[in-house]
Amino acid sequence: MRLFLLTATMLFAFAAHAAPQQDRADDHHADTLVVDKGLMSQFHQVRQTVVDRTSDLVVTAIGFLGVPYRRGGNTAETGFDCSGFVRAMYTQTVGHLLPRRAEEQAAATQKIDRSELKPGDLVFFNTMRRAFSHVGIYVGEGKFIHSPKPGAQVRVEDMSGSYWSRRFSGARRVAAVQDEIKASGD
């Protein structure tokens, strides 16, 4: 039995000594992968948070369909005008306070191309013979939600309809969402 244990121990020791040593470059590569995976994980987590917030924003906005238009209106109880509606949705869901007027909201947000629109972005229209006189929230598939005019209610419209396509002034993205992505990368 002792001879068996001695032989097994010797074979084990020889096998351990003969095993190739791990290259330090492999260690560095493995560490880099772990760090990269950690950064990627953080990026995906923040990205998902942004997607969730954007989804929450659109879902919340949809929940206000039918609320009547009211000039200067800021709440569901009193009614909304276009910029009051957008401001309330961003405050409630993202916690970001936008300026009160549509043209101020355009000035305070990041210009994007129409082809870059994502749900939650702002869309602006010239409805009063001046750019950025009307605002809504893009919900996807060429549609936006807004509080249109006196006598109407919060509703979803198609941007490709002749009225809206002729009056389109531009698209904007709220920088607070982008800042959140950048901050998480630091």
Side-chain angles (χ1 to χ4, degrees):
M1 178 74 163
R2 283 186 180 180
L3 183 59
F4 175 75
L5 283 176
L6 181 61
T7 306
T9 305
M10 297 273 292
L11 284 172
F12 180 74
F14 178 74
H17 180 70
Q21 290 192 350
Q22 193 172 12
D23 187 8
R24 289 195 181 267
D26 289 343
D27 285 343
H28 177 70
H29 181 67
D31 290 345
T32 303
L33 286 176
V34 169
V35 170
D36 287 347
K37 283 183 181 178
L39 289 175
M40 289 304 291
S41 175
Q42 287 178 341
F43 172 75
H44 288 300
Q45 184 178 9
V46 169
R47 183 172 179 259
Q48 188 59 48
T49 299
V50 170
V51 168
D52 290 346
R53 283 190 176 176
T54 302
S55 297
D56 288 348
L57 176 74
V58 171
V59 168
T60 298
I62 297 292
F64 286 90
L65 286 171
V67 172
Y69 177 93
R70 179 170 178 234
R71 183 181 167 102
N74 293 304
T75 68
E77 294 76 32
T78 61
F80 292 112
D81 66 9
C82 67
S83 58
F85 174 69
V86 168
R87 186 177 199 219
M89 296 306 102
Y90 264 87
T91 301
Q92 276 186 298
T93 58
V94 181
H96 183 74
L97 185 62
L98 290 170
R100 179 61 184 91
R101 298 178 56 220
E103 59 269 9
E104 294 169 342
Q105 291 175 355
T109 51
Q110 176 188 359
K111 182 178 179 179
I112 59 171
D113 189 78
R114 186 175 184 158
S115 65
E116 298 175 57
L117 276 169
K118 294 181 180 171
D121 288 338
L122 304 182
V123 288
F124 293 89
F125 302 89
N126 175 347
T127 58
M128 301 173 88
R129 300 183 190 205
R130 69 178 190 279
F132 309 112
S133 55
H134 187 73
V135 63
I137 299 170
Y138 186 72
V139 297
E141 298 182 10
K143 298 184 180 355
F144 71 105
I145 188 168
H146 67 131
S147 186
K149 62 184 179 180
Q153 302 169 336
V154 171
R155 64 185 180 211
V156 174
E157 304 261 8
D158 192 328
M159 291 174 53
S160 65
S162 63
Y163 180 86
W164 296 110
S165 64
R166 285 194 321 265
R167 289 168 175 78
F168 183 74
S169 298
R172 299 287 192 270
R173 184 161 292 148
V174 177
V177 173
Q178 295 302 316
D179 291 346
E180 184 174 329
I181 293 171
K182 289 176 188 171
S184 69
D186 292 344

